[in-house]
Amino acid sequence: MQSLYLTKPGHIELRETPIPPLGEEEVLVKVAYCGICTLEQRLYTGEREIHYPLIPGHEASGVVVEVGPKIMTNIKVGEAVALDLVNRCHACGPCLKGDTNLCENRFKSGQRVLGAFSEFVVVKPYQVHPVAPALPLEEAAFGEPLACSIRSLKRARLSLGDPLLISGAGTMGLLHLKLAKIMGLKPIMCDPDKERLKRAQKEGALTFTPEECLEGIKEVTGGHGVTASVVTTVATQAVEVAVNSLATTGTLLLYTSYGGELLYPFDLNEIHQRELTITGSEGRSGEDFRQAVRLLSNRTIQVNDLITNIYPLRGAEEAFKEALSPHSYRILIKMEGL
Ligand SMILES: [Zn+2]
Ligand SMILES: [Zn+2]
């Protein structure tokens, strides 16, 4: 099979390797599409390192081609699936509590990580989520980013009609926005890029640049501020705006991860006197993923408009370059036809 290897930052190459052997309790999936997420972009630029050589790719969809003989679930050959490519031991403290996204053993060495920029991938039964047969496989590849956005908004402690600030109108910001709409929230998008704001406005958000944001939010919330601020961009200015736009007892949710250590000087009195909550959201649980797949399968959420371009596996170099451009949303790689 052909796989895309990242051999060092900025260097990718296609390699022919045998299809990995299938364990008795594993599933072999022929990968259809895989998106280039921020993690892959950071691995490509070297901003984030795991180990080399590595097959990146974790926002994937595909079709089941073989099922191990000891599989207990009903997964069948020929089923279309979204792939949840994270390791969950289902035995540690966080897993037993339901926070499988924080599994203590998810990065243990010897475990497979990522790996979906490849014609085939061998996975555990809990990593395959069947999708509706009518759902295009390129949209099924959004199971992972949508699941992460679902977890994020669950942690933001929102109720029907609550105003929500989303900072950063990229793919993740727009996925949060799509969810906010079906959750009956009042979404407000903040981004310095006017083109991106236009896009968010079309999608139903009130939009402001960071300079206009605080005044604008005051105006549209009757002076109270937003119930939660979700930060999906690494720009530190976004955090400042996000904190200052919160209503009393509001929640600041850091969705993005930052390259390296980042200390942010809050006025701690803001948190004390206004009873603010600061939290984050990391990945998604199996349940978040199941919900994402249901929303996609039921066509409650449409993600087709977030696909900027689709490249064949052999065009991966250009695909990564386009993914790094500030004007693109999701770039997908299509495995079939190479
Ligand atoms: Zn992702
Ligand atoms: Zn665990």
Side-chain angles (χ1 to χ4, degrees):
M1 65 173 187
Q2 296 270 351
S3 303
L4 187 76
Y5 279 83
L6 185 65
T7 52
K8 58 180 172 176
H11 285 255
I12 46 181
E13 59 184 59
L14 268 184
R15 287 185 188 171
E16 178 73 35
T17 53
I19 294 175
L22 183 70
E24 291 192 319
E25 294 180 56
E26 291 181 322
V27 181
L28 179 65
V29 175
K30 188 172 195 321
V31 181
Y33 294 91
C34 184
I36 302 178
C37 177
T38 311
L39 172 63
E40 276 78 29
Q41 293 172 29
R42 288 179 183 166
L43 289 170
Y44 181 74
T45 58
E47 191 186 329
R48 174 104 183 254
E49 288 191 16
I50 303 185
H51 56 77
Y52 303 104
L54 165 86
I55 306 174
H58 68 277
E59 295 187 356
S61 63
V63 174
V64 174
V65 287
E66 201 179 336
V67 174
K70 288 197 178 161
I71 294 272
M72 287 172 75
T73 62
N74 293 325
I75 189 80
K76 288 181 192 64
V77 169
E79 253 181 315
V81 293
L83 294 173
D84 179 20
L85 295 172
V86 74
N87 297 306
R88 312 179 193 278
C89 78
H90 295 114
C92 69
C95 276
L96 292 174
K97 268 174 65 191
D99 298 324
T100 54
N101 57 315
L102 302 177
C103 173
E104 288 170 357
N105 300 310
R106 67 194 190 280
F107 298 125
K108 248 194 183 155
S109 64
Q111 301 284 334
R112 258 188 307 267
V113 286
L114 311 175
F117 289 138
S118 190
E119 277 182 279
F120 294 93
V121 65
V122 169
V123 294
K124 304 274 186 251
Y126 67 82
Q127 295 178 315
V128 291
H129 290 256
V131 299
L135 181 70
L137 284 172
E138 56 268 42
E139 293 182 45
F142 282 77
E144 192 269 347
L146 185 60
C148 294
S149 309
I150 288 173
R151 178 160 196 92
S152 166
L153 287 179
K154 279 182 191 166
R155 293 185 55 73
R157 304 184 308 161
L158 292 149
S159 299
L160 281 170
D162 276 345
L164 163 74
L165 171 64
I166 304 164
S167 296
T171 306
M172 297 317 303
L174 290 175
L175 280 175
H176 276 78
L177 171 55
K178 285 171 188 279
L179 280 169
K181 273 170 52 201
I182 62 164
M183 287 168 72
L185 304 171
K186 179 176 178 171
I188 302 162
M189 182 68 83
C190 179
D191 195 290
D193 187 320
K194 294 241 164 96
E195 282 306 306
R196 285 188 178 235
L197 284 186
K198 247 191 234 163
R199 177 73 182 269
Q201 197 173 24
K202 254 203 226 150
E203 196 76 53
L206 294 164
T207 58
F208 299 108
T209 61
E211 291 72 34
E212 312 161 336
C213 202
L214 285 181
E215 268 314 299
I217 283 180
K218 245 191 215 161
E219 219 178 288
V220 300
T221 60
H224 299 296
V226 293
T227 309
S229 295
V230 176
V231 178
T232 72
T233 163
V234 292
T236 44
Q237 185 192 15
V239 180
E240 203 177 313
V241 172
V243 173
N244 292 330
S245 65
L246 284 175
T248 305
T249 73
T251 301
L252 166 68
L253 189 135
L254 299 175
Y255 177 83
T256 188
S257 67
Y258 296 90
E261 190 179 86
L262 183 68
L263 302 175
Y264 191 80
F266 287 109
D267 176 359
L268 298 179
N269 283 313
E270 277 285 298
I271 299 161
H272 166 70
Q273 288 162 356
R274 303 205 295 123
E275 295 194 359
L276 303 181
T277 298
I278 299 173
T279 187
S281 186
E282 155 80 18
R284 68 283 167 193
S285 68
E287 171 63 358
D288 301 325
F289 206 103
R290 194 175 72 97
Q291 292 175 342
V293 163
R294 280 200 309 215
L295 292 178
L296 291 170
S297 289
N298 296 344
R299 314 314 297 267
T300 312
I301 283 201
Q302 307 281 339
V303 291
N304 203 23
D305 59 320
L306 294 176
I307 303 172
T308 301
N309 215 339
I310 300 178
Y311 286 84
L313 200 48
R314 67 183 138 69
E317 195 97 47
E318 297 105 275
F320 269 84
K321 291 206 170 107
E322 187 170 358
L324 285 165
S325 133
H327 304 295
S328 67
Y329 292 91
R330 261 308 175 266
I331 303 294
L332 303 187
I333 291 186
K334 184 182 183 195
M335 307 307 148
E336 217 162 84
L338 302 174

